[in-house]
C-alpha cells in the first residue's frame, strides 16, 4: 500500500513540475526570450503580434468555454428543458433518447441564432480573419452583437433585479448593460420561460392521465397502471394535433432576433 502511495505521489509531483514548466514557457517573460521562438511576442507600432503557437493555445483555451457559452448565451437551455418536460409529460421514459433531444435542441438553436451568427460573421469574424480588425476590437464588437440578442430576449424584471443587486442605476441603452448583469438575468429569464411553456404542455397530458385513472377506478381495475393505459392515448393525441411541429414552432416564435 505504501509503494502505491509513493508512486502516485511521485506521478503527481512530476505532473505538477511539468505544468509549472509549461506555464513558465508561455509566460510573457519567457515568450520574449530569443531561445523560444515558438512562443514569441513581437512588439510593433500597431501593437503586439502573437506567434502561431500562442494563438493556437488561446484558441484551444477558448474552445473549452464553448459548452458554457452555448448553454448561457443561446436558446439551447430553454429548448432542451421544454423538450425534457414534454417527454416526461408523455410518459415515454427514454423515448426520444437524450442524444436525440440534444440534437434537436442544437439544430433549433442554430436556426434561432442564425441572424445573430450571420451578423457576427459579417461584421466581426470575417474582418478579423482578413486582418482588417485587431483582436481587441473584434472581441468588443462581437460582444455587442451578442448583447443585442441577450437583451431582446431577457425579461425586464430579471434585468432590474440583478442591476439592483449590483447597485447600478437603470441603463440607458442595451449596450450599457454589463455582461456580469446580463448573463445571469438571461439564464434566469430562460429558466422561467421554459417552465412556463412546460407547464402548458403538461396540462393536456395530465388531463388524459386523470381521465384514464378515473375510468379504471370506476371499473375496479385497481392493479392496472393508469400510465400504461394512458400512454397510447397520449401518443395518439400528440400525433393527431401534430405536436412536434406545434412545439417547435412555438419555441421558435418565443424568440426575438430582430
Amino acid at each position: 500500500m505504501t509503494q502505491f502511495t509513493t508512486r502516485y505521489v511521485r506521478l503527481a509531483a512530476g505532473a505538477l513540475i511539468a505544468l509549472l514548466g509549461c506555464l513558465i514557457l508561455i509566460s510573457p517573460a519567457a515568450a520574449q526570450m530569443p531561445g523560444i521562438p515558438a512562443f514569441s511576442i513581437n512588439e510593433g507600432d500597431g501593437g503586439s503580434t502573437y506567434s502561431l503557437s500562442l494563438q493556437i493555445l488561446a484558441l484551444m483555451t477558448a474552445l473549452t468555454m464553448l459548452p458554457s457559452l452555448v448553454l448561457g448565451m443561446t436558446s439551447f437551455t430553454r429548448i432542451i428543458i421544454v423538450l425534457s418536460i414534454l417527454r416526461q409529460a408523455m410518459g415515454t421514459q427514454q423515448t426520444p433518447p437524450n442524444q436525440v433531444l440534444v440534437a434537436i435542441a442544437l439544430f433549433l438553436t442554430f436556426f434561432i441564432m442564425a441572424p445573430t451568427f450571420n451578423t457576427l460573421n459579417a461584421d466581426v469574424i470575417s474582418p478579423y480573419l482578413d486582418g482588417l480588425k485587431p483582436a481587441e476590437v473584434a472581441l468588443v464588437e462581437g460582444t455587442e452583437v451578442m448583447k443585442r440578442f441577450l437583451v431582446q430576449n431577457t425579461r425586464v424584471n430579471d434585468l432590474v433585479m440583478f442591476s439592483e443587486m449590483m447597485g447600478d442605476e437603470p441603463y440607458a441603452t442595451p449596450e450599457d448593460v454589463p455582461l456580469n448583469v446580463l448573463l445571469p438575468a438571461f439564464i434566469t429569464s430562460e429558466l422561467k420561460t421554459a417552465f412556463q411553456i412546460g407547464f402548458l404542455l403538461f396540462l393536456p397530458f395530465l388531463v388524459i392521465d386523470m381521465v384514464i385513472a378515473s375510468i379504471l377506478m370506476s371499473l375496479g381495475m385497481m392493479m392496472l397502471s393508469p400510465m400504461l393505459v394512458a400512454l397510447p392515448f397520449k401518443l395518439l393525441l400528440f400525433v393527431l394535433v401534430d405536436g412536434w411541429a406545434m412545439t417547435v414552432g412555438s419555441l421558435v416564435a418565443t424568440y426575438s432576433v430582430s
Side-chain angles (χ1 to χ4, degrees):
M1 189 68 181
T2 305
Q3 294 179 355
F4 285 108
T5 304
T6 305
R7 182 181 177 183
Y8 289 137
V9 169
R10 289 179 179 177
L11 289 176
L16 180 60
I17 293 174
L19 178 60
L20 291 176
C22 293
L23 292 176
I24 293 174
L25 288 178
I26 64 176
S27 62
Q32 296 177 356
M33 294 176 60
I36 311 177
F39 296 97
S40 61
I41 301 176
N42 300 322
E43 297 289 342
D45 297 335
S48 301
T49 302
Y50 299 92
S51 65
L52 181 60
S53 300
L54 286 178
Q55 294 180 16
I56 294 176
L57 179 63
L59 177 62
M60 297 303 295
T61 304
L63 287 178
T64 60
M65 301 177 60
L66 185 60
S68 299
L69 296 179
V70 171
L71 290 175
M73 299 183 67
T74 66
S75 58
F76 181 84
T77 301
R78 182 189 302 185
I79 297 172
I80 194 64
I81 290 177
V82 171
L83 294 180
S84 300
I85 294 177
L86 175 62
R87 183 178 65 179
Q88 185 176 1
M90 294 176 63
T92 54
Q93 301 300 324
Q94 294 298 319
T95 304
N98 293 329
Q99 293 85 349
V100 175
L101 293 185
V102 171
I104 295 173
L106 279 176
F107 294 150
L108 289 179
T109 299
F110 291 149
F111 179 81
I112 294 171
M113 301 293 297
T116 302
F117 288 159
N118 291 336
T119 303
L120 196 64
N121 180 63
D123 298 343
V124 179
I125 298 178
S126 294
Y128 169 70
L129 295 178
D130 295 337
L132 302 178
K133 290 183 180 181
E136 294 80 3
V137 176
L139 181 61
V140 172
E141 293 184 356
T143 303
E144 296 301 325
V145 173
M146 293 303 301
K147 271 187 178 181
R148 288 197 291 270
F149 171 80
L150 296 177
V151 171
Q152 289 175 358
N153 297 279
T154 304
R155 299 173 184 270
V156 178
N157 295 335
D158 297 324
L159 275 177
V160 171
M161 179 184 69
F162 281 97
S163 63
E164 290 178 351
M165 292 171 64
M166 287 291 296
D168 295 341
E169 298 293 331
Y171 305 108
T173 60
E175 290 76 13
D176 296 335
V177 183
L179 284 178
N180 61 337
V181 172
L182 183 56
L183 290 180
F186 174 75
I187 198 66
T188 304
S189 178
E190 288 291 282
L191 291 174
K192 183 177 182 179
T193 305
F195 278 94
Q196 288 178 344
I197 298 175
F199 171 76
L200 296 177
L201 288 175
F202 213 107
L203 281 181
F205 299 107
L206 180 62
V207 171
I208 294 177
D209 285 334
M210 294 176 63
V211 171
I212 296 297
S214 300
I215 294 175
L216 293 178
M217 184 75 67
S218 62
L219 294 177
M221 299 179 180
M222 306 295 183
M223 304 302 295
L224 188 59
S225 174
M227 295 182 60
L228 182 62
V229 179
L231 179 58
F233 294 97
K234 291 191 286 188
L235 293 177
L236 178 61
L237 173 65
F238 195 71
V239 171
L240 289 178
V241 300
D242 199 4
W244 286 113
M246 292 179 59
T247 303
V248 170
S250 301
L251 282 172
V252 174
T254 56
Y255 281 94
S256 174
V257 293
S258 59

